[in-house]
mmCIF file of all heavy atoms in Angstrom:
data_model
loop_
_atom_site.group_PDB
_atom_site.id
_atom_site.type_symbol
_atom_site.label_atom_id
_atom_site.label_comp_id
_atom_site.label_asym_id
_atom_site.label_seq_id
_atom_site.Cartn_x
_atom_site.Cartn_y
_atom_site.Cartn_z
ATOM 1 N N GLN A 300 27.997 68.614 72.367
ATOM 2 C CA GLN A 300 27.869 69.013 73.769
ATOM 3 C C GLN A 300 26.407 69.246 74.141
ATOM 4 O O GLN A 300 25.936 68.769 75.165
ATOM 5 C CB GLN A 300 28.681 70.291 74.007
ATOM 6 C CG GLN A 300 30.171 70.072 73.995
ATOM 7 C CD GLN A 300 30.676 69.479 75.292
ATOM 8 O OE1 GLN A 300 30.205 69.818 76.364
ATOM 9 N NE2 GLN A 300 31.604 68.560 75.193
ATOM 10 N N ARG A 302 23.803 68.211 72.463
ATOM 11 C CA ARG A 302 23.069 66.964 72.306
ATOM 12 C C ARG A 302 23.263 66.073 73.517
ATOM 13 O O ARG A 302 22.322 65.465 74.022
ATOM 14 C CB ARG A 302 23.559 66.228 71.058
ATOM 15 C CG ARG A 302 23.137 66.905 69.797
ATOM 16 C CD ARG A 302 23.552 66.087 68.606
ATOM 17 N NE ARG A 302 22.804 66.510 67.445
ATOM 18 C CZ ARG A 302 22.711 65.804 66.343
ATOM 19 N NH1 ARG A 302 23.318 64.641 66.252
ATOM 20 N NH2 ARG A 302 22.001 66.234 65.326
ATOM 21 N N ALA A 303 24.520 66.005 73.988
ATOM 22 C CA ALA A 303 24.802 65.169 75.154
ATOM 23 C C ALA A 303 23.989 65.666 76.342
ATOM 24 O O ALA A 303 23.355 64.870 77.042
ATOM 25 C CB ALA A 303 26.291 65.201 75.470
ATOM 26 N N GLN A 305 21.214 67.246 76.354
ATOM 27 C CA GLN A 305 19.791 66.922 76.198
ATOM 28 C C GLN A 305 19.542 65.433 76.389
ATOM 29 O O GLN A 305 18.556 65.040 77.000
ATOM 30 C CB GLN A 305 19.306 67.357 74.815
ATOM 31 C CG GLN A 305 19.250 68.861 74.688
ATOM 32 C CD GLN A 305 18.287 69.303 73.606
ATOM 33 O OE1 GLN A 305 17.397 68.563 73.215
ATOM 34 N NE2 GLN A 305 18.461 70.508 73.125
ATOM 35 N N SER A 306 20.444 64.614 75.863
ATOM 36 C CA SER A 306 20.223 63.179 76.013
ATOM 37 C C SER A 306 20.320 62.773 77.481
ATOM 38 O O SER A 306 19.766 61.766 77.892
ATOM 39 C CB SER A 306 21.223 62.384 75.183
ATOM 40 O OG SER A 306 22.450 62.282 75.860
ATOM 41 N N LEU A 307 21.030 63.580 78.276
ATOM 42 C CA LEU A 307 21.142 63.257 79.699
ATOM 43 C C LEU A 307 19.975 63.831 80.497
ATOM 44 O O LEU A 307 19.966 63.742 81.717
ATOM 45 C CB LEU A 307 22.469 63.790 80.250
ATOM 46 C CG LEU A 307 23.706 63.118 79.644
ATOM 47 C CD1 LEU A 307 24.969 63.848 80.029
ATOM 48 C CD2 LEU A 307 23.780 61.667 80.075
ATOM 49 N N ALA A 309 18.630 67.169 80.141
ATOM 50 C CA ALA A 309 18.554 68.609 80.349
ATOM 51 C C ALA A 309 17.619 69.239 79.319
ATOM 52 O O ALA A 309 17.740 68.980 78.128
ATOM 53 C CB ALA A 309 19.939 69.234 80.238
ATOM 54 N N PRO A 311 16.245 72.280 76.974
ATOM 55 C CA PRO A 311 17.115 73.156 76.181
ATOM 56 C C PRO A 311 17.698 74.322 76.975
ATOM 57 O O PRO A 311 18.881 74.623 76.859
ATOM 58 C CB PRO A 311 16.181 73.644 75.071
ATOM 59 C CG PRO A 311 15.200 72.547 74.920
ATOM 60 C CD PRO A 311 15.009 71.945 76.278
ATOM 61 N N ARG A 317 23.833 75.546 81.605
ATOM 62 C CA ARG A 317 24.825 74.818 82.398
ATOM 63 C C ARG A 317 25.937 74.209 81.564
ATOM 64 O O ARG A 317 26.997 73.879 82.086
ATOM 65 C CB ARG A 317 24.131 73.721 83.212
ATOM 66 C CG ARG A 317 23.269 74.321 84.322
ATOM 67 C CD ARG A 317 22.790 73.274 85.279
ATOM 68 N NE ARG A 317 23.841 72.403 85.761
ATOM 69 C CZ ARG A 317 23.618 71.294 86.431
ATOM 70 N NH1 ARG A 317 22.381 70.918 86.684
ATOM 71 N NH2 ARG A 317 24.613 70.544 86.845
ATOM 72 N N VAL A 318 25.685 74.015 80.272
ATOM 73 C CA VAL A 318 26.717 73.367 79.451
ATOM 74 C C VAL A 318 27.292 74.331 78.418
ATOM 75 O O VAL A 318 28.496 74.458 78.278
ATOM 76 C CB VAL A 318 26.139 72.115 78.755
ATOM 77 C CG1 VAL A 318 27.142 71.552 77.770
ATOM 78 C CG2 VAL A 318 25.778 71.085 79.800
ATOM 79 N N PRO A 321 28.761 78.241 80.060
ATOM 80 C CA PRO A 321 30.082 78.218 80.716
ATOM 81 C C PRO A 321 31.223 77.996 79.730
ATOM 82 O O PRO A 321 32.315 78.497 79.937
ATOM 83 C CB PRO A 321 29.976 77.033 81.686
ATOM 84 C CG PRO A 321 28.532 76.830 81.887
ATOM 85 C CD PRO A 321 27.850 77.244 80.626
ATOM 86 N N GLN A 322 30.939 77.286 78.664
ATOM 87 C CA GLN A 322 32.019 77.006 77.716
ATOM 88 C C GLN A 322 32.301 78.180 76.790
ATOM 89 O O GLN A 322 33.420 78.317 76.292
ATOM 90 C CB GLN A 322 31.689 75.762 76.889
ATOM 91 C CG GLN A 322 31.705 74.509 77.724
ATOM 92 C CD GLN A 322 31.595 73.259 76.885
ATOM 93 O OE1 GLN A 322 32.341 73.045 75.955
ATOM 94 N NE2 GLN A 322 30.639 72.431 77.212
ATOM 95 N N ASN B 107 20.486 58.390 65.873
ATOM 96 C CA ASN B 107 20.019 59.725 66.229
ATOM 97 C C ASN B 107 18.499 59.827 66.201
ATOM 98 O O ASN B 107 17.914 60.578 66.978
ATOM 99 C CB ASN B 107 20.625 60.773 65.292
ATOM 100 C CG ASN B 107 22.065 61.083 65.676
ATOM 101 O OD1 ASN B 107 22.505 60.748 66.765
ATOM 102 N ND2 ASN B 107 22.794 61.701 64.766
ATOM 103 N N PHE B 112 17.375 63.104 68.148
ATOM 104 C CA PHE B 112 18.065 64.253 67.548
ATOM 105 C C PHE B 112 17.646 64.455 66.101
ATOM 106 O O PHE B 112 17.876 65.513 65.528
ATOM 107 C CB PHE B 112 19.578 64.076 67.617
ATOM 108 C CG PHE B 112 20.088 63.937 69.011
ATOM 109 C CD1 PHE B 112 20.979 62.951 69.346
ATOM 110 C CD2 PHE B 112 19.643 64.796 70.001
ATOM 111 C CE1 PHE B 112 21.441 62.820 70.643
ATOM 112 C CE2 PHE B 112 20.090 64.675 71.308
ATOM 113 C CZ PHE B 112 20.992 63.679 71.624
ATOM 114 N N TYR B 133 15.282 64.959 75.686
ATOM 115 C CA TYR B 133 15.456 65.001 77.144
ATOM 116 C C TYR B 133 14.332 64.319 77.895
ATOM 117 O O TYR B 133 14.384 64.207 79.101
ATOM 118 C CB TYR B 133 15.637 66.445 77.626
ATOM 119 C CG TYR B 133 14.634 67.434 77.079
ATOM 120 C CD1 TYR B 133 13.438 67.676 77.735
ATOM 121 C CD2 TYR B 133 14.897 68.115 75.910
ATOM 122 C CE1 TYR B 133 12.526 68.583 77.236
ATOM 123 C CE2 TYR B 133 13.999 69.025 75.399
ATOM 124 C CZ TYR B 133 12.809 69.257 76.058
ATOM 125 O OH TYR B 133 11.909 70.156 75.564
ATOM 126 N N ILE B 137 16.978 58.109 77.612
ATOM 127 C CA ILE B 137 17.924 57.242 76.925
ATOM 128 C C ILE B 137 19.325 57.755 77.229
ATOM 129 O O ILE B 137 19.597 58.941 77.051
ATOM 130 C CB ILE B 137 17.682 57.277 75.403
ATOM 131 C CG1 ILE B 137 16.317 56.688 75.075
ATOM 132 C CG2 ILE B 137 18.787 56.536 74.667
ATOM 133 C CD1 ILE B 137 15.946 56.774 73.608
ATOM 134 N N PHE B 141 28.710 59.357 73.233
ATOM 135 C CA PHE B 141 29.042 59.890 71.916
ATOM 136 C C PHE B 141 30.426 59.432 71.489
ATOM 137 O O PHE B 141 31.257 59.054 72.313
ATOM 138 C CB PHE B 141 28.976 61.417 71.934
ATOM 139 C CG PHE B 141 27.581 61.932 72.068
ATOM 140 C CD1 PHE B 141 26.949 61.945 73.297
ATOM 141 C CD2 PHE B 141 26.891 62.384 70.966
ATOM 142 C CE1 PHE B 141 25.646 62.401 73.422
ATOM 143 C CE2 PHE B 141 25.592 62.846 71.078
ATOM 144 C CZ PHE B 141 24.974 62.856 72.314
ATOM 145 N N LEU B 146 32.154 64.813 76.845
ATOM 146 C CA LEU B 146 32.202 65.166 78.265
ATOM 147 C C LEU B 146 32.213 66.682 78.363
ATOM 148 O O LEU B 146 32.718 67.358 77.476
ATOM 149 C CB LEU B 146 33.458 64.577 78.915
ATOM 150 C CG LEU B 146 33.536 63.065 78.919
ATOM 151 C CD1 LEU B 146 34.853 62.607 79.534
ATOM 152 C CD2 LEU B 146 32.374 62.460 79.674
ATOM 153 N N PHE B 147 31.661 67.211 79.458
ATOM 154 C CA PHE B 147 31.626 68.660 79.613
ATOM 155 C C PHE B 147 32.969 69.121 80.162
ATOM 156 O O PHE B 147 33.316 68.803 81.300
ATOM 157 C CB PHE B 147 30.478 69.068 80.530
ATOM 158 C CG PHE B 147 29.142 68.532 80.068
ATOM 159 C CD1 PHE B 147 28.239 67.998 80.965
ATOM 160 C CD2 PHE B 147 28.801 68.538 78.719
ATOM 161 C CE1 PHE B 147 27.021 67.496 80.542
ATOM 162 C CE2 PHE B 147 27.597 68.041 78.282
ATOM 163 C CZ PHE B 147 26.695 67.518 79.191
ATOM 164 N N PRO B 148 33.735 69.862 79.383
ATOM 165 C CA PRO B 148 35.127 70.151 79.772
ATOM 166 C C PRO B 148 35.238 71.039 81.003
ATOM 167 O O PRO B 148 36.261 71.030 81.674
ATOM 168 C CB PRO B 148 35.705 70.861 78.540
ATOM 169 C CG PRO B 148 34.521 71.374 77.803
ATOM 170 C CD PRO B 148 33.396 70.434 78.080
ATOM 171 N N HIS B 149 34.181 71.825 81.291
ATOM 172 C CA HIS B 149 34.290 72.751 82.416
ATOM 173 C C HIS B 149 33.867 72.104 83.728
ATOM 174 O O HIS B 149 33.889 72.754 84.762
ATOM 175 C CB HIS B 149 33.446 73.990 82.137
ATOM 176 C CG HIS B 149 31.992 73.674 81.894
ATOM 177 N ND1 HIS B 149 31.577 72.944 80.810
ATOM 178 C CD2 HIS B 149 30.888 73.959 82.605
ATOM 179 C CE1 HIS B 149 30.268 72.825 80.855
ATOM 180 N NE2 HIS B 149 29.825 73.417 81.928
ATOM 181 N N SER B 161 21.326 65.749 88.535
ATOM 182 C CA SER B 161 20.957 67.074 89.026
ATOM 183 C C SER B 161 19.926 67.729 88.108
ATOM 184 O O SER B 161 19.062 68.441 88.594
ATOM 185 C CB SER B 161 22.189 67.950 89.211
ATOM 186 O OG SER B 161 22.730 68.290 87.967
ATOM 187 N N ARG B 163 17.632 66.200 86.738
ATOM 188 C CA ARG B 163 16.373 65.527 87.052
ATOM 189 C C ARG B 163 15.875 65.885 88.437
ATOM 190 O O ARG B 163 14.963 65.276 88.947
ATOM 191 C CB ARG B 163 16.559 64.011 86.955
ATOM 192 C CG ARG B 163 16.591 63.508 85.550
ATOM 193 C CD ARG B 163 16.821 62.008 85.513
ATOM 194 N NE ARG B 163 16.608 61.517 84.164
ATOM 195 C CZ ARG B 163 17.442 61.725 83.159
ATOM 196 N NH1 ARG B 163 18.532 62.405 83.361
ATOM 197 N NH2 ARG B 163 17.173 61.259 81.955
ATOM 198 N N ARG B 206 28.372 58.273 83.022
ATOM 199 C CA ARG B 206 27.392 59.353 82.936
ATOM 200 C C ARG B 206 26.125 58.896 82.231
ATOM 201 O O ARG B 206 25.021 59.323 82.565
ATOM 202 C CB ARG B 206 28.029 60.531 82.186
ATOM 203 C CG ARG B 206 27.256 61.803 82.256
ATOM 204 C CD ARG B 206 27.989 62.908 81.532
ATOM 205 N NE ARG B 206 28.037 62.661 80.089
ATOM 206 C CZ ARG B 206 28.452 63.558 79.188
ATOM 207 N NH1 ARG B 206 28.883 64.723 79.600
ATOM 208 N NH2 ARG B 206 28.464 63.265 77.917
#
Side-chain angles (χ1 to χ4, degrees):
Chain A
Q300 288 282 322
R302 289 184 162 196
Q305 290 203 21
S306 81
L307 295 170
R317 290 191 50 191
V318 173
Q322 292 189 53
Chain B
N107 282 345
F112 300 133
Y133 48 89
I137 295 176
F141 290 79
L146 297 178
F147 305 137
H149 58 295
S161 70
R163 283 178 170 73
R206 192 178 67 170

